[in-house]
């Protein structure tokens, strides 16, 4: 089983729609989680950290469910500019390693 | 004022050649990384250095050798290039985990094509 798993998509949604992605992780020692965004042929960039209590940044909401070992990203009122690949990232305590998921591709359609 | 800069941006070379990719960061971070992103977009850690000391060394062929002359630089040398080495190589830097994990910053990538 992969350490971090994501549905590759693509998720094709119309502008203005709400879309949610999940990401499951297998290591119970996982300490911190992040969502990164990667545009085509560009480097990944931090979108937001994922806190135990959940957090919200504008149209984006991230949640952590430790019991079921998954994190989620909700995007409200999707914009064309949200089209990208969203990478789930897991930091495993004591390893110095960030483990990246393979990403979920989102296409927002006009 | 690029934070993490990699050179070259593109590299096309023949099988069997030896090539190097350079990375420099001006963020004052003490930890640097090399990642490989293959054609399936899977981003996988290869190496990491903290203050010139190797702290992550994943299972990669020994044709790949990282070198860190100081904490602001991490270069990647690849010997005897193979077709399967074609990928995008990303350099990144951060403060040493787990401190301030949100500081993780990637370079813009080096697209290596082996022909």
């Amino acid at each position: 089983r992969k350490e971090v798993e994501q549905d590759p998509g693509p998720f094709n949604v119309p502008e203005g729609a709400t879309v949610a992605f999940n990401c499951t992780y297998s290591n119970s020692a996982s300490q911190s989680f992040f969502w990164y965004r990667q545009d085509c042929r560009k480097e990944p960039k931090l979108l937001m950290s994922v806190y135990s209590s959940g957090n919200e940044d504008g149209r984006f909401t991230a949640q952590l469910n430790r019991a079921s070992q998954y994190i989620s990203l909700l995007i409200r009122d999707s914009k064309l500019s949200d089209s990208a690949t969203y990478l789930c990232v897991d930091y495993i305590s004591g390893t110095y390693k960030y483990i990246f998921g393979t990403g979920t591709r989102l296409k927002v359609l006009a | 004022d690029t934070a993490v800069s990699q050179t070259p941006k593109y590299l096309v070379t023949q099988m069997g050649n030896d090539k190097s990719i350079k990375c420099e960061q001006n963020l004052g971070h003490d930890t640097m990384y090399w990642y490989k992103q293959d054609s399936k977009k899977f981003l996988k850690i290869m190496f990491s250095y903290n203050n010139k000391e190797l702290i992550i060394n994943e299972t990669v062929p020994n044709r790949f050798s990282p070198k860190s002359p100081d904490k602001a630089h991490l270069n990647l040398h690849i010997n005897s290039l193979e077709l399967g080495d074609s990928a995008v190589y990303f350099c990144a830097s951060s403060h040493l985990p787990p401190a301030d994990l949100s500081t993780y910053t990637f370079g813009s990538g080096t697209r290596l094509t082996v022909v």
Side-chain angles (χ1 to χ4, degrees):
Chain A
R1 183 183 173 186
K2 286 183 183 169
E3 293 173 282
V4 178
E5 293 202 64
Q6 296 183 251
D7 181 340
F11 283 57
N12 296 322
V13 302
E15 266 189 294
T18 295
V19 62
F21 316 131
N22 280 346
C23 165
T24 58
Y25 61 94
S26 60
N27 194 322
S28 57
S30 295
Q31 179 178 350
S32 304
F33 303 90
F34 306 86
W35 282 104
Y36 273 70
R37 170 190 169 132
Q38 186 173 24
D39 292 293
C40 189
R41 303 177 83 87
K42 299 283 190 182
E43 71 273 24
K45 291 186 177 176
L46 179 65
L47 179 66
M48 59 197 306
S49 304
V50 185
Y51 304 125
S52 296
S53 55
N55 55 312
E56 188 173 315
D57 183 3
R59 297 181 294 107
F60 298 83
T61 301
Q63 299 271 350
L64 167 61
N65 185 318
R66 285 199 184 272
S68 301
Q69 295 192 189
Y70 74 88
I71 68 171
S72 63
L73 178 67
L74 180 80
I75 306 174
R76 288 180 296 278
D77 188 22
S78 299
K79 312 289 184 194
L80 293 175
S81 57
D82 293 335
S83 298
T85 296
Y86 291 85
L87 302 166
C88 165
V89 185
D90 170 10
Y91 172 69
I92 299 176
S93 177
T95 68
Y96 307 119
K97 291 183 196 176
Y98 286 77
I99 307 297
F100 283 79
T102 50
T104 296
R105 193 168 169 207
L106 171 67
K107 292 183 183 179
V108 181
L109 308 171
Chain B
D1 60 343
T2 305
V4 181
S5 59
Q6 297 178 227
T7 53
K9 196 172 177 64
Y10 299 96
L11 182 55
V12 181
T13 188
Q14 290 188 324
M15 279 174 52
N17 283 351
D18 302 338
K19 291 292 178 185
S20 292
I21 308 171
K22 296 186 176 183
C23 181
E24 175 181 3
Q25 55 94 7
N26 62 5
L27 296 167
H29 291 159
D30 53 10
T31 307
M32 296 184 72
Y33 313 79
W34 277 110
Y35 282 83
K36 178 180 179 180
Q37 189 169 42
D38 60 25
S39 56
K40 295 182 179 177
K41 307 301 182 188
F42 182 46
L43 194 63
K44 188 168 170 53
I45 184 88
M46 299 174 69
F47 303 103
S48 177
Y49 273 75
N50 171 254
N51 281 324
K52 302 192 294 177
E53 181 185 347
L54 183 67
I55 59 172
I56 297 175
N57 186 3
E58 291 295 279
T59 306
V60 299
N62 58 15
R63 298 181 295 103
F64 290 78
S65 53
K67 284 190 170 48
S68 181
D70 55 61
K71 71 175 189 177
H73 296 84
L74 180 60
N75 304 323
L76 182 65
H77 188 75
I78 315 171
N79 288 328
S80 303
L81 278 154
E82 300 178 356
L83 293 176
D85 297 332
S86 296
V88 181
Y89 292 84
F90 286 102
C91 177
S93 74
S94 74
H95 292 304
L96 180 66
D100 205 2
L101 295 173
S102 63
T103 63
Y104 220 90
T105 305
F106 282 87
S108 57
T110 295
R111 187 170 294 273
L112 171 65
T113 303
V114 182
V115 296

